[in-house]
Amino acid sequence: MGSDTTVLVTVTGPDRPGVTSVLLAALSRHRVSLLDVEQVVIRGRLTLGVLVSYPNDADALQDELEGAMATVGMQVDVESGSFAAARPAPSTHAVVVLGSPVTARSFSTIARELAKQGANIDSIRGIADYPVTGLELMVTAANTGAEADAALRTGLSEVAVGEAVDVAVERAGLARRAKRLIVFDVDSTLVQGEVIEMLAARAGKEEEVRAVTEAAMRGEIDFTESLHQRVAVLAGLDASVIDEVGESLELTPGARTTIRTLRRLGFHCGVVSGGFRQVIEGLAHELELDFVEANTLEIVDGKLTGRVIGDVVDRAAKAVALRKFAAQSGVAMEQTVAVGDGANDIDMLNAAGLGVAFNAKPALREVADAALSHPFLDAVLFILGVTRHEVEAADAEDGLVRRVPL
């Protein structure tokens, strides 16, 4: 008897129970050896592929398999050839595409850029249909290393801007799935708006302070200098405004979902803010955050003095805080994630294993590993490879399923 023939059996049709058992029962009658099995289901349509080693002519399989699969309403194709028996090497990168919507044109442009850089798409899966559409591409790049990674990220970022989608690029493998600490900026990231402006509104100085805040977030003026300028206008305010502003804070859509899901995954969660500890402590307690680093407003005789106590939490201090949190958690820096929106978050995002710019100023977008332009914080989960279905399935177990980003 000659050598065995390698045969690829492909079954397609409506997904339903029993398809795999019927196929394998038919194959078992022909003494085949399984080499590989893969399947995908898209909107209820199944494609099942089975690679086998067969001691006889493949034509003998076709009629029997067609009859067997017809009993479960499936079509079957049998092809013999020199198929590689071993699985291909693992993908080198994960590319996540987010949009509202993701059009065929934008996806085509992304695929063209990948091909231009010699990267092959190994697999594609949908990871979200709400609040944005999310697709995860596992790709194999022709070259690896820091320069090649930067070129891939830069090329896809340029496409993302032109096509109004978000694209995140990260090395595939264990490192991607090993993230265990996430730190958020607070103002305009975890919560909507800027706390200092909310406080300044009580002093009738909101517009004046907003102009300074925006310049600082763009990196046009030193953050520490800008903080002292802005806090000075609060002098004389009753300390009760701190509680008033704290109670009025509105979380960014998807913030609760994000933190709740990450905690289920075993993440340590914290915030590092150029804002004020007294304002955000209540929210941090409510969200069960593990770490809080922020500035402290000076209060004398029940009044704000217009000064802060201690060292200012500025751009450099944010990165220091991230490293401190990582050390306290026993987490390597490669396993950390930082999310922010302004120039004072640059050092923190650079220090993190994954830096995410959230509706960010250009200065931060340029250095971030991923940039999100949609106003939903749970998009961070999709970048990390968590699917919307997984989030909702976990929420369902706790009776929390709802189609509103919390």
Side-chain angles (χ1 to χ4, degrees), residues 187-188 192-199 213 217 230 341:
D187 295 0
S188 299
Q192 301 179 60
E194 298 285 327
V195 168
I196 184 64
E197 294 172 14
M198 300 175 196
L199 291 168
T213 298
M217 291 301 99
R230 290 175 289 167
D341 75 302

Side-chain angles (χ1 to χ4, degrees), residues 209-280:
V209 166
R210 178 176 293 125
V212 178
T213 298
E214 291 177 352
M217 291 301 99
R218 293 192 298 267
E220 296 172 359
I221 61 175
D222 177 72
F223 178 82
T224 300
E225 176 188 345
S226 76
L227 180 69
H228 290 311
Q229 289 181 21
R230 290 175 289 167
V231 172
V233 307
L234 307 179
L237 282 179
D238 192 282
S240 62
V241 301
I242 291 175
D243 292 334
E244 293 173 9
V245 171
E247 292 172 0
S248 70
L249 293 179
E250 293 186 26
L251 286 167
T252 298
R256 290 186 190 279
T257 297
T258 301
I259 292 174
R260 181 172 66 243
T261 302
L262 291 175
R263 289 183 63 82
R264 285 173 175 150
L265 291 171
F267 272 70
H268 301 278
C269 301
V271 290
V272 179
S273 176
F276 311 108
R277 178 180 291 273
Q278 296 104 314
V279 177
I280 64 175

Side-chain angles (χ1 to χ4, degrees), residues 157-194:
S157 295
E158 292 173 355
V159 169
V161 172
E163 297 296 330
V165 295
D166 294 334
V167 179
V169 181
E170 192 175 3
R171 279 294 188 98
L174 288 177
R176 184 186 184 215
R177 301 198 299 273
K179 300 294 189 296
R180 284 298 175 265
L181 168 67
I182 188 165
V183 171
F184 298 92
D185 171 50
V186 176
D187 295 0
S188 299
T189 301
L190 188 66
V191 304
Q192 301 179 60
E194 298 285 327

